[in-house]
Amino acid sequence: MKYDYLLVGAGLFNATFAALARKAGLRCLVIEKRDHIAGNIHTENVEGINIHKYGAHIFHTDDENCWNFVNQFATFNRYTNSPVALIDGKLFNLPFNMNTFHAIWPDVITPLQAQQRIAEQAAEMAGKTPSNLEEQAISLVGRDIYELLIKGYTEKQWGRPCSALAPDIIKRLPLRFTYDNNYFNDRFQGIPMGGYTAMVEKMFGDTDIRLSCDFLADKENLSNLAEKIVYTGTIDSYFNYCFGELEYRSLRFKTEKLDGQNIQGVAVVNHTSADTPYTRTIEHKHFEAENTTAFNTPYSFVTEEYPADWQRGDEPYYPVNNPRNSELYRKYADLAAQETNVIFGGRLGMYRYFDMDDTIIAAIQCFQQQVNK
Ligand code: UDP
């Protein structure tokens, strides 16, 4: 056989795997359904500006190994994510921090006052274990913030009422009692200068890649090209949906070139009102503001991000975390465990809400398990 590994999907999981395999002298062939590499972190340079084609991606991690790993393939800038939330013509800083609390409750100035105000509001949940996202949010930040900054956004994002969503997702958002608008708590953060596609290109190096090649359409022939397969597509599609479809959430993007050097003053604006159909607007040039040539152009690209239901054929973005899907995933994972020569990886293969660093860490672990076998 010509290859040690057939890597299905050219996203971050397989780019990590390929980089490690190359170093270890193993031969990989990558096949990718789309006509480009880098999966959903793909960036495309349009008139000098790197566009995050599948939504904003900000790299952040607390894991030093992971940080050192990615820094082999790109120079990261010092971008710090500080999105703002816009509702009814008013702006609030995110994540929830002293700036947010003071803007919502002008008499709140000190951390103690903020803690007291939240405790007063969270009292409606006293003695109750939160059983859904609404209850979880109110017990964490109180009803005012829930109504203003969480409810509308979350219900648009997930397409169902907060009272019907699992509590965990909201815990992704930091809550802090300092005047600090940095969205992430992690020690390391930044954007690869020159875009994610260039970084992923370096990760793959001279690995053979076939674009516009659908693995599932020619599974048998392609499987014969390598000893083992790393599959990063949706796990249910690999098994031909034999137990039924897992649910995903999808996104649609509307990107416009606008006149003006600086349109919104920040990379990410969250639109938290239920009345605005999109959740975020992204002004791409702000991700690489140190690139003054791109930043000073008299035009700018702004993308509206619309959450959408997912149907077969759409791009899947987020796994939907609920008991039905967890149980269904378990069944597929049991089948997957019987496939001795196929490894399932990444957000779609493992059906997990991975951040980029989680994906890389999982791929490093997966590779190490393979070489230790
Ligand atoms: N969220 C919210 N208001 C916001 C931003 C986020 O209520 O302004 C909630 C929402 O439920 C979302 C979750 O927090 O699904 C996680 O947000 P994050 O920004 O981590 O989502 P991602 O960037 O992965 O889409």
Side-chain angles (χ1 to χ4, degrees), residues 1-5 27 222-228 341:
M1 258 179 219
K2 194 161 174 228
Y3 295 101
D4 296 298
Y5 288 94
R27 295 151 310 163
L222 290 167
S223 298
N224 286 332
L225 296 176
E227 302 284 341
K228 284 194 164 189
N341 289 328

Side-chain angles (χ1 to χ4, degrees), residues 94 149-150 153-154 158 169 172-173 183 270 280 318 353:
L94 294 172
L149 302 179
I150 297 176
Y153 186 99
T154 301
W158 297 100
I169 300 164
R172 283 173 60 84
L173 271 177
Y183 200 71
N270 287 6
R280 293 190 263 224
Y318 300 94
Y353 193 164

Side-chain angles (χ1 to χ4, degrees), residues 60-85:
H60 59 98
T61 189
D62 223 11
D63 184 301
E64 201 164 349
N65 279 336
C66 177
W67 182 241
N68 291 336
F69 179 78
V70 288
N71 274 273
Q72 296 174 78
F73 308 104
T75 304
F76 280 74
N77 68 13
R78 51 165 286 276
Y79 176 83
T80 301
N81 198 33
S82 304
V84 291

